[in-house]
Amino acid sequence: MSSSASSTGGEATGGFTEVVIVRHGETSWNASRIIQGHLDAELNDIGRQQAVAVAHRLSKEAKPVAIYSSDLKRAAETAQTIARICNVPNVVFDPALRERHIGDLQGMKLQDAATERPEAYKAFMSRKRNQQIPGGGESLDQLSERCVSCLYNIVEKHKGERVILVSHGGTIRELYRHASPTKPLHCKIHNTSVSVILVSDATGRCIVKMCGDISHLQETGVLENAFGGDKTSA
C-alpha cells in the first residue's frame, strides 16, 4: 500500500479506514516531567480515571473492530480499559507503537538533561530528523518509519473499518506529521487525547479528521505541563 499522504480533500473512489488514536493516561513520571521513552511507568490514579473517561466516550461512538496498543504498561492499561468498556474482546499489543527511544535521557528529569547529558540533550533537541540520540535512542526518521509502517499494516487488515490505536505523545506526533505533512501540529497531545485519521483503502492517502481532542476530560482534568514525548513539550 502506498504511504503517500495528504491532509486535504477526499478520494474519488473507495472507502476509508477510520483510525482513532489515543494517547495513554497520565503517569507519575508525566507529572514529574521525567523522560520515559521505552521505560515502563504505570498509570497513576488520575491516569486511570482518564482512561475510564476516554473509554466511556468511545463506547458512545461506533464500536471498533479491533484495538491495538503499545506494549508499554501505561498504554496497555489504557487500551485494556477501553476494550473492557467498549466490549472489545482483546487488545493486540505491538512494540511498533511504543514511544520514541530517547537513549541516555530516559529516566531523567527534563530540567536536568541539558547539564547532565548535554550530548544526548542536544541530539534530542536537534531539528535534524536523522539525528539519533546517544545511548541507543532513535532518530525521528526511525520512529516515523516504524510507527507509520505499523499504521499501514493495521489498515491493510481492517479496510473500511474503525480501529483504535493507543500510543504515546512522540509517536502520535509522527503519525500526524505523516498524515498532514504540510500543516504543522498546533494542538497539544495531552494524556488520553483523541485524534482521528482517515486512511484511504485505495491509495493510502490520509485525512486528519480530529486532533488532540480532550472534551471527555472536563471532570478529570489534564496536566498542562506534562512531558509529552518530544522537544515541543519541553
Side-chain angles (χ1 to χ4, degrees):
M1 177 181 288
S2 169
S3 60
S4 60
S6 173
S7 61
T8 59
E11 299 300 323
T13 60
F16 290 88
T17 299
E18 186 174 35
V19 183
V20 180
I21 306 171
V22 180
R23 187 182 172 204
H24 63 81
E26 182 183 308
T27 71
S28 60
W29 285 27
N30 288 140
S32 300
R33 293 178 63 77
I34 295 173
I35 299 171
Q36 295 175 110
H38 282 199
L39 299 184
D40 212 5
E42 298 181 353
L43 297 183
N44 61 17
D45 288 342
I46 292 174
R48 293 186 178 96
Q49 294 172 22
Q50 292 172 335
V52 169
V54 73
H56 280 297
R57 169 197 173 147
L58 295 170
S59 73
K60 298 171 185 175
E61 301 175 4
K63 184 177 178 179
V65 297
I67 298 175
Y68 290 81
S69 175
S70 158
D71 60 339
L72 296 176
K73 291 175 184 175
R74 56 194 186 272
E77 185 177 350
T78 304
Q80 288 166 332
T81 300
I82 294 170
R84 175 173 52 83
I85 292 175
C86 291
N87 197 29
V88 175
N90 66 297
V91 176
V92 180
F93 298 108
D94 193 332
L97 291 171
R98 284 185 177 193
E99 181 60 280
R100 181 185 183 186
H101 194 300
I102 311 181
D104 286 339
L105 301 185
Q106 294 187 161
M108 297 191 65
K109 285 196 172 185
L110 192 62
Q111 67 192 47
D112 299 330
T115 54
E116 294 185 22
R117 293 286 189 275
E119 184 180 350
Y121 182 79
K122 182 179 179 181
F124 177 60
M125 299 299 289
S126 173
R127 293 181 179 274
K128 296 179 181 178
R129 291 193 54 82
N130 64 349
Q131 176 68 63
Q132 293 175 277
I133 301 172
E138 292 175 287
S139 69
L140 290 172
D141 282 343
Q142 289 172 323
L143 171 61
S144 179
E145 182 178 354
R146 71 165 161 86
C147 70
V148 170
S149 295
C150 181
L151 171 70
Y152 281 102
N153 287 338
I154 291 169
V155 168
E156 187 67 29
K157 296 174 184 175
H158 299 287
K159 288 186 176 181
E161 298 178 318
R162 175 180 169 94
V163 297
I164 294 174
L165 272 58
V166 182
S167 190
H168 306 263
T171 307
I172 294 170
R173 289 185 187 87
E174 284 303 310
L175 292 172
Y176 176 90
R177 181 182 180 276
H178 170 79
S180 185
T182 61
K183 187 176 180 181
L185 178 63
H186 293 299
C187 66
K188 286 188 175 182
I189 305 298
H190 289 294
N191 292 114
T192 70
S193 62
V194 175
S195 303
V196 180
I197 295 174
L198 303 178
V199 184
S200 168
D201 300 330
T203 67
R205 290 169 64 88
C206 296
I207 298 172
V208 177
K209 184 178 177 182
M210 179 185 296
C211 183
D213 187 83
I214 52 171
S215 57
H216 55 281
L217 293 182
Q218 292 177 353
E219 293 183 10
T220 307
V222 67
L223 197 61
E224 286 288 345
N225 67 342
F227 179 74
D230 76 349
K231 61 181 178 291
T232 63
S233 62

